[in-house]
């Protein structure tokens, strides 16, 4: 029996970032892979990266797919983006390691 927590986890589980491009993978996986490679990118930049891996597909198709997937993930809160007209997305990865020290409470 599924609990409400399990339903929530299924819907909002952490985003999986593939370690390589795979033509047989889902569109979302490949868009996330391309964004991870670019770190910060707009949908057209992600589309260009996808096109580098899959030049048989029209660049306009990659653009449409990237916009749809990135907007969906952003709206769900699984990736971040700025508030510019042409939004630049990122995966919100922690790039600087925590020092492991805490400030005194008083």
């Amino acid at each position: 029996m599924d609990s409400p927590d399990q339903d929530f986890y299924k819907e909002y589980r952490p985003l999986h970032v593939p370690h390589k491009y795979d033509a047989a993978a889902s569109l979302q996986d490949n868009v996330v892979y391309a964004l991870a490679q670019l770190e910060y990118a707009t949908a057209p930049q992600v589309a260009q990266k996808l096109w580098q891996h899959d030049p048989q597909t029209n660049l306009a198709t990659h653009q449409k797919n990237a916009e749809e997937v990135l907007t969906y993930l952003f709206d769900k809160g699984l990736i971040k983006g700025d508030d510019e007209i042409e939004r630049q997305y990122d995966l919100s990865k922690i790039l600087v390691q925590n020092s492991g020290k805490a400030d005194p409470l008083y």
Side-chain angles (χ1 to χ4, degrees):
M1 179 180 200
D2 286 345
S3 74
D5 289 342
Q6 288 174 333
D7 292 340
F8 179 84
Y9 181 75
K10 286 178 188 176
E11 185 67 22
Y12 293 97
R13 67 181 179 269
L15 192 61
H16 168 71
V17 180
H19 68 282
K20 66 177 184 169
Y21 181 88
D22 181 1
S26 71
L27 178 59
Q28 179 175 311
D29 280 351
N30 286 332
V31 168
V32 169
Y33 169 79
L35 179 58
Q37 294 303 302
L38 297 167
E39 294 186 18
Y40 301 98
T42 62
Q45 292 168 328
V46 170
Q48 184 68 35
K49 189 69 165 177
L50 290 170
W51 184 76
Q52 290 174 359
H53 291 285
D54 181 15
Q56 296 85 4
T57 302
N58 186 323
L59 184 57
T61 302
H62 284 304
Q63 170 91 18
K64 178 180 170 286
N65 292 339
E67 286 174 3
E68 288 175 1
V69 170
L70 292 170
T71 300
Y72 170 77
L73 294 173
F74 177 79
D75 289 345
K76 249 183 133 173
L78 296 174
I79 62 174
K80 293 202 175 179
D82 59 24
D83 290 329
E84 300 297 321
I85 292 172
E86 188 162 24
R87 181 170 282 140
Q88 189 171 7
Y89 298 93
D90 70 84
L91 294 174
S92 307
K93 296 189 297 185
I94 297 172
L95 301 175
V96 178
Q97 179 177 316
N98 186 329
S99 68
K101 297 180 182 179
D103 293 332
L105 292 176
Y106 303 101

